Amino acid sequence: MIFCIFSFNRGPFLRNCVRSIEQCRPDARILVFDDDSSDAETLAVLKEIEKAHRVVTPDKAGSTKHGGLYHNMQSAIEILRDEPLVCFLQDDTQVVRPILDREIDSLRRLFAETPTLGFVQPCFLRASAKNRRPFKSTDDQSTELLYRENRGQSAGVHYSDLLITSPARLLKSGWQFQSSEPDNDRQASRLFGPMPYLYSPFAMWLPNVPAYRGKRKTWALKRAEAKIQCGFYPYRIWSEQQSEAFLNRPAGELPIAEDYLACDAEAPPTPWRYTPLSGQRWLKHLNSIELFFFRHFGKK
């Protein structure tokens, strides 16, 4: 399985993601798709990574809310069209434990035996899943899987930006990455069956990551980041023994990140946030108002 990392102006995060793959799957091929990063630290990290791995730069500038992410994802499946499996991660994510040969073999069988399968989600679940329990398990001969109950959410039932897939299957279906996660979820619902989540995942978003994408941060976003102590909080990588214990844990134990993962040194306050404005309703509303006024009355 080949790993693709999609990056933009997050030098330390990108280095951490690459190193986590190198440590947890030493024989893995890694491709970094950089979205035209401009800060000096990230450019230095990219040069460092190029010594061992391939770095792909965009052939056109990103123009959507997510920059060039989905264009780069499309480029990835076209470049890797002959590869049986690829795993898409982003620079603010990390592999957290060793990935065993039998797990890769199980994923290959799963795709081979399930022609309606488009994507598999490789990440731990967030703590909110523990309270709402929107996931159900199913018996499968290939691997243990979870499925998210469809409660009308915009994404996550058929598609996630962090994924494992077969490039050839996507291209054969006519797949074209759209400009948002909800649009991709709707496309996936037309082309494929529901997306399974690994019962024993190996990757996760880092907690309390500051927002980098926008060219300008609102006061509300800056306040939200300060309130939840946004920063760089990489996870401690498990030993092989810890990974085996996790793979053999009792049935029915949901893989909640906060229950199983620990940050390498200091940790942010709980509950962990995976977007700065999550759970901060009044700041989220204020951010929307600021953006509205900036778009309509700001300097051009």
Side-chain angles (χ1 to χ4, degrees):
M1 182 166 68
I2 295 179
F3 288 83
C4 297
I5 307 171
F6 299 92
S7 171
F8 175 75
N9 278 350
R10 295 182 192 260
F13 293 85
L14 174 59
R15 181 189 287 113
N16 177 69
C17 186
V18 170
R19 288 179 176 175
S20 73
I21 299 170
E22 291 173 336
Q23 182 172 341
C24 294
R25 188 70 191 178
D27 63 345
R29 283 177 57 197
I30 301 173
L31 276 71
V32 174
F33 288 79
D34 181 65
D35 191 17
D36 204 19
S37 290
S38 56
D39 76 284
E41 184 177 24
T42 301
L43 294 176
V45 170
L46 288 167
K47 283 189 177 181
E48 173 188 316
I49 291 170
E50 275 186 318
K51 296 175 182 177
H53 308 290
R54 182 178 177 185
V55 174
V56 181
T57 53
D59 55 15
K60 68 177 183 180
S63 58
T64 71
K65 175 183 177 182
H66 296 279
L69 172 64
Y70 296 116
H71 171 73
N72 287 341
M73 284 183 166
Q74 190 70 33
S75 296
I77 63 171
E78 291 169 0
I79 290 171
L80 300 170
R81 63 175 60 237
D82 296 324
E83 299 297 332
L85 287 181
V86 298
C87 178
F88 284 6
L89 299 177
Q90 295 181 25
D91 50 16
D92 59 349
T93 66
Q94 181 191 317
V95 175
V96 300
R97 65 172 182 84
I99 304 170
L100 307 180
D101 289 344
R102 70 173 188 264
E103 296 180 83
I104 304 294
D105 293 340
S106 179
L107 285 164
R108 287 174 177 163
R109 287 196 304 272
L110 179 63
F111 274 89
E113 296 169 3
T114 318
T116 59
L117 181 63
F119 306 98
V120 173
Q121 223 276 14
C123 292
F124 282 72
L125 307 182
R126 303 176 185 186
S128 58
K130 190 173 186 178
N131 300 323
R132 296 197 307 263
R133 290 202 173 275
F135 290 84
K136 58 184 179 180
S137 60
T138 183
D139 293 329
D140 186 277
Q141 293 181 348
S142 299
T143 189
E144 292 178 293
L145 306 170
L146 297 168
Y147 287 86
R148 188 170 184 180
E149 293 179 8
N150 191 343
R151 298 184 177 181
Q153 56 267 47
S154 62
V157 175
H158 293 88
Y159 172 85
S160 166
D161 283 343
L162 303 183
L163 56 87
I164 299 168
T165 192
S166 160
R169 181 167 298 178
L170 294 189
L171 293 171
K172 185 178 180 180
S173 75
W175 178 272
Q176 289 284 329
F177 282 95
Q178 303 301 302
S179 60
S180 72
E181 204 166 16
D183 286 342
N184 283 314
D185 197 281
R186 284 188 286 272
Q187 179 181 200
S189 72
R190 294 192 300 269
L191 297 175
F192 306 112
M195 175 183 65
Y197 290 63
L198 291 180
Y199 180 71
S200 297
F202 55 77
M204 189 54 187
W205 292 269
L206 296 186
N208 296 43
V209 173
Y212 277 70
R213 169 54 57 190
K215 293 183 180 295
R216 175 177 177 176
K217 291 185 181 183
T218 65
W219 179 92
L221 179 55
K222 292 177 182 177
R223 181 71 185 93
E225 290 183 342
K227 189 175 180 180
I228 66 171
Q229 300 177 33
C230 280
F232 178 43
Y233 303 102
Y235 294 117
R236 185 175 302 126
I237 293 178
W238 296 355
S239 66
E240 291 186 9
Q241 292 77 13
Q242 288 173 305
S243 190
E244 282 285 1
F246 178 66
L247 290 168
N248 295 310
R249 73 192 189 280
E253 292 187 4
L254 288 178
I256 305 297
E258 287 84 341
D259 290 348
Y260 287 97
L261 303 181
C263 294
D264 196 34
E266 62 176 333
T270 55
W272 291 347
R273 311 285 188 179
Y274 298 97
T275 58
L277 292 164
S278 174
Q280 305 195 68
R281 184 173 299 179
W282 76 272
L283 287 173
K284 189 173 184 179
H285 288 322
L286 181 57
N287 179 68
S288 298
I289 294 170
E290 288 187 77
L291 289 175
F292 173 83
F293 277 95
F294 178 71
R295 284 194 299 267
H296 290 84
F297 305 107
K299 293 181 181 180
K300 304 233 178 156

